[in-house]
Amino acid sequence: MKRDESPIVVEQDFARSATDVWTAITDVGEMRRWYFDNIPDFEAEVGFRTQFMVESSDRSFLHLWEVTEVVPQSKIVHNWKYEEFEGDSNVTFEVSGDDQSANLTVTLEVMADFPDNIPEFTRESGIGGWTFFINDQLKAYLDG
């Protein structure tokens, strides 16, 4: 993923309230059920930091997250990078809707280029990963 590429955007509608979607993307107990099961902690508050390891093929990725913006019930942004690899990105989750239905838009914007030689850092991998998490995992979780 490169800084000069357009952001990756994934969108999903839910037959759930905007509050339910917000809780699913900000409550660590719920995040562990559809996102990463080993997130040690998460808080929707600016300055909050967490880190956790994810194994993929023969590589380990120490995820480093820092929450940089929060608009309660509607928007959360966190910086996402890795301890062992160059590259830097911001991930924005935006929730809209009401008590009956909601929309979630997730945008990944690359701030500094990721390595070319790591398959998990290709644009196609990024699109596939976010589509899996939002359109498959989160959708299935919230649809119950």
Side-chain angles (χ1 to χ4, degrees):
M1 295 179 292
K2 302 295 177 193
R3 195 167 72 89
D4 63 356
E5 296 174 332
S6 61
I8 294 172
V9 179
V10 174
E11 190 172 357
Q12 181 64 54
D13 292 320
F14 298 92
R16 296 288 294 267
S17 72
T19 299
D20 288 347
V21 174
W22 178 259
T23 301
I25 66 170
T26 60
D27 177 271
V28 72
E30 292 201 30
M31 293 168 73
R32 288 178 186 142
R33 297 167 97 189
W34 67 270
Y35 202 12
F36 292 103
D37 62 3
N38 62 333
I39 297 173
D41 199 10
F42 189 81
E43 293 181 25
E45 105 182 14
V46 172
F48 176 82
R49 294 177 186 208
T50 192
Q51 62 183 34
F52 56 97
M53 189 67 70
V54 173
E55 306 292 329
S56 176
S57 302
D58 59 344
R59 282 180 287 283
S60 297
F61 297 89
L62 182 60
H63 289 54
L64 306 174
W65 290 0
E66 180 179 357
V67 176
T68 59
E69 182 181 350
V70 177
V71 179
Q73 301 298 313
S74 68
K75 180 179 180 181
I76 186 165
V77 180
H78 65 80
N79 180 261
W80 185 327
K81 53 190 164 190
Y82 303 90
E83 179 70 31
E84 314 82 349
F85 302 100
E86 292 184 10
D88 192 8
S89 63
N90 287 327
V91 180
T92 302
F93 293 77
E94 294 179 278
V95 179
S96 61
D98 54 32
D99 290 342
Q100 302 298 316
S101 64
N103 174 272
L104 174 65
T105 302
V106 177
T107 305
L108 170 82
E109 183 177 6
V110 175
M111 311 308 286
D113 292 355
F114 288 87
D116 289 329
N117 61 339
I118 307 291
E120 290 86 351
F121 294 148
T122 65
R123 180 172 177 78
E124 294 75 23
S125 180
I127 292 168
W130 284 109
T131 299
F132 171 74
F133 279 126
I134 303 305
N135 300 136
D136 297 339
Q137 293 291 104
L138 181 58
K139 178 81 170 144
Y141 172 69
L142 286 174
D143 284 351

